Amino acid sequence: MRTSTIIAIDGPAASGKGTLAKRLAAHFGMAYLDTGLLYRAVARDVAAAGDALDDPASALNAASKLDAQSLDDPALRGPLAGDAASIVAKIPQVRAALLEYQRSFARADGGAVLDGRDIGTVVCPDADIKIFVTASDEARATRRHMEHESRGETIAFEKVLEDLRRRDSRDKERNIAPLEQAAGALFLDTTTLDADQAFAAALLLIEHARRRS
Ligand code: CDP
């Protein structure tokens, strides 16, 4: 990989994009940014201020003041934070305020891997490698359900599936930077793949794409 290589990975919730992005970053010795955490943190800060998640002024204020150190907060990882994130993520001013942070991260020495919903389409449209990762709704809900169970949380599978589909629709149907496959993105369906198999498949796709270019 060139030292300035950017790998953009997009896809819906629980598609395996985060796990894949982290592994590719470790494999190629590149920096890694989970951009979903930015939106999750904005939602956390709006809620902490006692404001409604769809309040543009409060959300812009939170996005402008976002402290990168606070992204390690374990509370950001849960499903409620993900749902809240998808509400602030619809606000154009929030997306604009987070753009430069993501772009400057992408220019990191040694290259970077970013994962999210709009990395290949908006944040880094010139990324060297773009991958769109997806899986069937049922496979994704099964993964999320297992994550809940491993944390000792009891929740019906149907509820997990319903929540996931609601968030998918919000992300795909919003007016700004909707979730969609970027032009030129490699397509990876992880429905029947575990994390190791998805990683191996992505490496093959990247290898083929680089030989063609
Ligand atoms: O990990 P998971 O895929 O469940 O969620 P996430 O990547 O942390 O993203 C949480 C929410 O943030 C998504 O549902 C999107 O609404 C929003 N998001 C976005 O709009 N753009 C991004 N680049 C990343 C996340």
Side-chain angles (χ1 to χ4, degrees):
M1 289 282 170
R2 281 187 295 114
T3 53
S4 58
T5 298
I6 297 174
I7 302 182
I9 303 192
D10 291 303
S15 55
K17 65 185 184 314
T19 306
L20 175 63
K22 231 176 283 164
R23 286 188 70 169
L24 289 174
H27 180 78
F28 292 117
M30 296 159 82
Y32 166 59
L33 179 64
D34 171 356
T35 66
L37 282 179
L38 304 174
Y39 295 91
R40 287 170 181 256
V42 170
R44 172 200 59 198
D45 296 347
V46 170
D51 295 324
L53 291 169
D54 59 357
D55 175 340
S58 178
L60 173 59
N61 181 44
S64 322
K65 289 190 191 149
L66 195 64
D67 171 12
Q69 307 297 323
S70 77
L71 299 178
D72 288 337
D73 181 356
L76 294 182
R77 305 275 169 187
L80 283 178
D83 202 64
S86 69
I87 298 175
V88 299
K90 287 170 65 175
I91 303 174
Q93 297 93 316
V94 168
R95 305 201 73 86
L98 298 177
L99 202 52
E100 192 39 45
Y101 178 82
Q102 297 173 82
R103 286 189 175 153
S104 74
F105 188 96
R107 292 190 291 266
D109 283 345
V113 182
L114 285 81
D115 84 81
R117 302 291 187 288
D118 63 339
I119 309 304
T121 50
V122 175
V123 178
C124 303
D126 298 328
D128 304 87
I129 294 160
K130 300 180 188 180
I131 308 179
F132 189 81
V133 185
T134 193
S136 71
D137 294 1
E138 288 73 15
R140 294 185 295 117
T142 301
R143 290 174 194 159
R144 276 287 135 96
H145 191 237
M146 280 165 60
E147 286 169 20
H148 284 296
E149 295 205 318
S150 69
R151 289 195 297 261
E153 298 159 8
T154 310
I155 179 167
F157 172 80
E158 287 68 29
K159 167 87 174 102
V160 176
L161 182 61
E162 187 188 308
D163 289 352
L164 194 123
R165 286 183 168 148
R166 189 183 56 242
R167 184 140 69 91
D168 280 356
S169 319
R170 208 179 271 145
D171 287 345
K172 286 182 188 159
E173 286 160 22
R174 69 182 174 218
N175 295 326
I176 179 157
L179 169 65
E180 61 187 350
Q181 185 171 349
L186 306 167
F187 180 81
L188 180 60
D189 185 333
T190 67
T191 302
T192 60
L193 306 181
D194 65 20
D196 288 345
Q197 292 167 327
F199 176 61
L203 283 183
L204 276 180
L205 284 174
I206 292 172
E207 201 44 52
H208 281 156
R210 288 170 76 201
R211 263 198 235 122
R212 277 204 314 269
S213 64

